[in-house]
Amino acid sequence: MELDFKKMGGLIPAIIQDNVTAKVLMLGFMNEEAYRKTLETGKVTFWSRSRNCLWTKGETSGNFLNVVKILADCDNDTLLIKANPDGPVCHTGADTCWDEENKGDLNFLSYLQDFIEKRYREMPEGSYTTSLFKSGVNRMAQKVGEEALEAVIEATNGTNERLVYEASDMIYHLIVLLTSKGLRIEQLAQELRERHKEGWVKH
């Protein structure tokens, strides 16, 4: 990746985004040395303009930003860094530097499917997900039905807590089934979005 550090006098802005929730966590600046250290350590390192030195986020608080992916913009003068934070990001103790809660639990479904797809590729021994893939499509589909029935039972004769538990089992097994068919949970969201459009007709 060829980055243009000259445009801003040796620095480029780096936008930090939570890899799971997609929340923007903070903005910092990097020089070439900070960028190289970030690549080498897997921990986001900035150039502190006030202290005039390298600064690894979390070196005093322990709230490191663990790099997942680094992307450059179309002009190669701004970075988007997707990271997993070890704790609150702002020096005030807030989750983000804009004082937002770092929540986005629906995005976790995409993250979960990424993890399940990794299981599908690697098939590690001793993994329950691996055993599901090895059992075949019929068994995976059966498990979705079983978990759906459990959710129905809890909805009609159980508690809300148990309904959430069983519905979570159902969604997990559904994602496993989708993965085995080469499909993604986002395709379900896309289908629901289409249905939400005015004039949509059931077919």
Side-chain angles (χ1 to χ4, degrees), residues 124-183:
E125 291 297 328
S127 162
Y128 175 66
T129 307
T130 296
S131 71
L132 286 173
F133 286 129
K134 289 184 176 180
S135 70
V137 171
N138 289 348
R139 177 56 182 157
M140 284 184 277
Q142 182 182 359
K143 284 295 295 181
V144 174
E146 290 174 359
E147 299 300 342
L149 179 58
E150 292 290 339
V152 169
I153 292 171
E154 292 300 333
T156 55
N157 293 293
T159 65
N160 287 347
E161 182 180 3
R162 289 299 303 178
L163 172 58
V164 169
Y165 184 90
E166 297 298 346
S168 298
D169 273 351
M170 180 186 69
I171 290 175
Y172 159 75
H173 286 91
L174 176 60
I175 293 176
V176 171
L177 179 62
L178 289 171
T179 300
S180 75
K181 303 292 286 184
L183 300 172

Side-chain angles (χ1 to χ4, degrees), residues 87-157:
V89 171
C90 187
H91 71 281
T92 64
D95 286 350
T96 81
C97 289
W98 290 269
D99 198 25
E100 291 185 308
E101 281 192 300
N102 186 18
K103 291 184 177 179
D105 292 335
L106 285 177
N107 291 316
F108 179 75
L109 294 179
S110 294
Y111 174 82
L112 177 61
Q113 182 150 19
D114 290 341
F115 181 83
I116 289 172
E117 285 181 345
K118 188 172 185 289
R119 284 282 193 263
Y120 188 54
R121 292 192 304 271
E122 298 175 356
M123 292 289 192
E125 291 297 328
S127 162
Y128 175 66
T129 307
T130 296
S131 71
L132 286 173
F133 286 129
K134 289 184 176 180
S135 70
V137 171
N138 289 348
R139 177 56 182 157
M140 284 184 277
Q142 182 182 359
K143 284 295 295 181
V144 174
E146 290 174 359
E147 299 300 342
L149 179 58
E150 292 290 339
V152 169
I153 292 171
E154 292 300 333
T156 55
N157 293 293

Side-chain angles (χ1 to χ4, degrees), residues 16-129:
I16 313 301
Q17 180 184 45
D18 190 292
N19 183 56
V20 176
T21 67
K23 280 284 187 182
V24 175
L25 302 176
M26 67 174 293
L27 170 69
F29 291 86
M30 291 183 177
N31 60 9
E32 290 189 64
E33 188 180 1
Y35 175 66
R36 285 197 303 270
K37 187 173 181 182
T38 297
L39 292 179
E40 291 167 3
T41 65
K43 310 287 186 186
V44 175
T45 297
F46 299 107
W47 176 259
S48 172
R49 294 171 296 166
S50 58
R51 290 177 289 170
N52 204 38
C53 65
L54 290 181
W55 163 54
T56 298
K57 181 72 179 74
E59 61 189 5
T60 55
S61 66
N63 296 333
F64 293 100
L65 293 168
N66 304 292
V67 176
V68 176
K69 183 183 291 186
I70 300 178
L71 303 170
D73 75 341
C74 54
D75 293 322
N76 289 322
D77 60 6
T78 303
L79 292 177
L80 173 64
I81 301 179
K82 299 186 179 186
N84 292 323
D86 282 335
V89 171
C90 187
H91 71 281
T92 64
D95 286 350
T96 81
C97 289
W98 290 269
D99 198 25
E100 291 185 308
E101 281 192 300
N102 186 18
K103 291 184 177 179
D105 292 335
L106 285 177
N107 291 316
F108 179 75
L109 294 179
S110 294
Y111 174 82
L112 177 61
Q113 182 150 19
D114 290 341
F115 181 83
I116 289 172
E117 285 181 345
K118 188 172 185 289
R119 284 282 193 263
Y120 188 54
R121 292 192 304 271
E122 298 175 356
M123 292 289 192
E125 291 297 328
S127 162
Y128 175 66
T129 307

